[in-house]
Amino acid sequence: MNTQPILFCGDPHGRFDHILRAAELLDPMAIVLLGDIEPEQPLHLELAAIDPNKLWFIHGNHDTDSDQNWHHLWGSTLAERNLHGRVVELPNGLKLAGLGGVFRESVWYPGHSDARFESRSSHARSTPRQDRWQGGVHRKHWSSIYPEEFKALATQRADILVTHEAPGYHPNGFEILDELARSMGVKVSVHGHQHDRMDSSHRWVQQGFKSFGVGLCGITAIDLDGHAEVIFSGDLDHQSHSSGA
């Protein structure tokens, strides 16, 4: 493991003490929150003790459950650290990409139904004015995945891809996220949402990359070779295939 690890933080659901402790103890290169963050106050206040240049996150489905959740994330000064739909370069040169949110049947649910809306903007135009949030789609759909942003991400290259949804190795995952990782040339993918600490080691060759799930409020350091070290165990790590919907 590198002397300055990359820490991947499973769904915090409003709990940050373990992240603050890990940041202080390990001096990581980067700290990546995998969605369902739900801060009780703006995220920059929750994580004020951490260098903001080390912080990255993607949003999860619960981050749009309430006006408060939305404002504390998208209204935070750390909002620019949202990885959703883009690729950034870490200090060691590795490229990190993110896809926040979840697939929803009312928008797009790959493998089950065709997309009802290609883009967030087209969905916004179909949203009654009284139901719009911040002039766009309903608040809930700020955490929905749209084909347009998915396809745009697929044209880029990255070493690591973080998603809230799980890829195809997981019982509740999506094969289309495997396709995304392969099209981007990703070597490692990491996800939250399902609250499971799992990996796809039984199918790494078949996948063409390595997948890891990080447990509920857990932290795992993962490198590009697929070495994973649990820093804080997740709350449900003693169980298997827990649902984090």
Side-chain angles (χ1 to χ4, degrees):
M1 196 66 64
N2 294 330
T3 53
Q4 274 197 304
I6 303 172
L7 302 183
F8 298 91
C9 305
D11 306 13
H13 288 289
R15 293 163 52 190
F16 301 99
D17 286 351
H18 62 303
I19 298 174
L20 295 170
R21 289 200 302 274
E24 182 179 3
L25 290 171
L26 299 175
D27 186 28
M29 176 185 304
I31 298 172
V32 186
L33 281 61
L34 299 172
D36 284 353
I37 299 169
E38 297 186 89
E40 290 294 319
Q41 56 184 332
L43 187 61
H44 63 274
L45 298 180
E46 296 280 14
L47 299 178
I50 302 176
D51 179 353
N53 293 313
K54 294 186 175 185
L55 289 168
W56 298 99
F57 73 88
I58 53 172
H59 55 269
N61 50 302
H62 287 299
D63 292 315
T64 58
D65 279 354
S66 68
D67 293 3
Q68 173 180 287
N69 284 3
W70 190 96
H71 281 297
H72 286 173
L73 201 59
W74 277 273
S76 166
T77 59
L78 290 175
E80 64 181 16
R81 309 301 287 182
N82 193 340
L83 282 167
H84 177 68
R86 64 178 178 143
V87 178
V88 299
E89 187 170 319
L90 299 180
N92 64 354
L94 291 182
K95 292 187 176 181
L96 175 66
L99 183 71
V102 294
F103 295 111
R104 289 191 168 103
E105 289 190 9
S106 55
V107 175
W108 180 38
Y109 205 80
H112 296 270
S113 60
D114 294 334
R116 295 187 60 189
F117 300 98
E118 180 69 18
S119 66
R120 195 176 303 273
S121 58
S122 65
H123 193 180
R125 289 193 294 271
S126 299
T127 302
R129 188 172 302 276
Q130 68 271 16
D131 293 332
R132 295 177 187 175
W133 179 255
Q134 302 294 314
V137 293
H138 188 282
R139 187 191 66 237
K140 177 180 76 172
H141 291 301
W142 280 71
S143 62
S144 296
I145 299 172
Y146 290 83
E148 181 182 69
E149 56 201 18
F150 183 96
K151 293 173 184 176
L153 188 59
T155 65
Q156 303 181 64
R157 303 290 291 180
D159 300 297
I160 302 170
L161 172 66
V162 295
T163 60
H164 191 58
E165 291 275 25
Y169 85 101
H170 193 282
N172 298 316
F174 292 85
E175 291 288 345
I176 197 168
L177 293 179
D178 293 43
E179 297 173 19
L180 175 65
R182 285 190 288 268
S183 69
M184 298 183 73
V186 162
K187 295 179 176 64
V188 169
S189 76
V190 189
H191 71 89
H193 189 45
Q194 298 298 336
H195 296 174
D196 292 324
R197 176 163 64 82
M198 297 176 62
D199 65 60
S200 65
S201 53
H202 63 289
R203 57 184 287 184
W204 279 355
V205 174
Q206 174 188 348
Q207 266 188 314
F209 61 95
K210 303 173 177 68
S211 292
F212 296 87
V214 183
L216 172 65
C217 291
I219 301 178
T220 303
I222 304 169
D223 67 20
L224 211 59
D225 294 322
H227 299 135
E229 178 182 345
V230 175
I231 307 301
F232 283 98
S233 296
D235 291 356
L236 304 176
D237 282 2
H238 62 287
Q239 302 178 17
S240 63
H241 306 328
S242 309
S243 175

